[in-house]
Amino acid sequence: MLSTLAVELPGMYDDVLVPTDGSTGADRAFERALDLAETYGAQLHVLHVVDVSGDAGEFRPVTVLDDLRERGAELTTDLADRAAESGLDDVRTEVIEGVPHRAILSYVDDNDVDLVVMGTHGRTGLQRYLLGSVAEKVVRLSAVPVLTVRASEDDGE
């Protein structure tokens, strides 16, 4: 169905961003973002944010931050490799530090991203209220469209 839209709406998306934290929801979002990037001939941006906010826990020593950066680099490289295997070579990866929703929104602005595709964890009620939602904050504050993808079809409860 998406290939039909590409014929009708060429160049609708030139830059598609998929933030990843390595979760199931992020992986499902990657698959959707990859499909959209292939359909529209867009560059796929794969971003990992090393969470340095107060919500991430107490201050982390430099070695822990180095480990988190390394894990982020592995995640983004793996997704770029998967994109290349499917035939998409126009992939940019980046690992940055910051408060996740702010870092994602800043990346969108700095890189002229047209669409953000991101996973959700499917939290509801008190758990969502207490933990907050990066995806929800990005949806509310983004100047560009945000497509959210649930971690699994069972998360709709």
Side-chain angles (χ1 to χ4, degrees):
M1 182 167 155
L2 288 177
S3 60
T4 303
L5 291 174
V7 173
E8 296 173 16
L9 302 169
M12 183 172 185
Y13 302 116
D14 294 323
D15 291 271
V16 175
L17 169 64
V18 60
T20 185
D21 60 2
S23 67
T24 303
D27 194 58
R28 286 179 51 98
F30 168 76
E31 293 298 329
R32 184 65 55 94
L34 178 60
D35 187 38
L36 287 163
E38 289 173 335
T39 298
Y40 292 103
Q43 181 177 43
L44 181 63
H45 298 251
V46 181
L47 175 68
H48 177 79
V49 178
V50 175
D51 188 351
V52 295
S53 70
D55 296 337
E58 294 183 31
F59 177 75
R60 296 181 175 134
V62 173
T63 56
V64 173
L65 286 176
D66 287 343
D67 290 344
L68 292 172
R69 282 187 214 104
E70 186 176 317
R71 179 177 181 269
E74 290 170 3
L75 285 171
T76 57
T77 299
D78 178 54
L79 294 179
D81 290 345
R82 286 174 52 192
E85 288 171 10
S86 76
L88 184 68
D89 293 323
D90 197 3
V91 180
R92 177 178 173 192
T93 63
E94 190 154 348
V95 176
I96 58 178
E97 293 177 20
V99 177
H101 76 278
R102 290 185 191 145
I104 292 166
L105 293 167
S106 180
Y107 187 92
V108 166
D109 290 342
D110 293 346
N111 294 278
D112 297 319
V113 169
D114 304 303
L115 174 69
V116 179
V117 181
M118 58 190 308
T120 64
H121 294 285
R123 293 184 184 114
T124 59
L126 184 60
Q127 186 180 25
R128 186 176 121 228
Y129 177 76
L130 292 174
L131 297 175
S133 168
V134 173
E136 182 180 355
K137 290 173 186 171
V138 172
V139 166
R140 281 191 290 115
L141 299 171
S142 178
V144 301
V146 179
L147 173 64
T148 59
V149 179
R150 290 182 189 215
S152 72
E153 293 179 19
D154 297 335
D155 287 342
E157 299 176 22

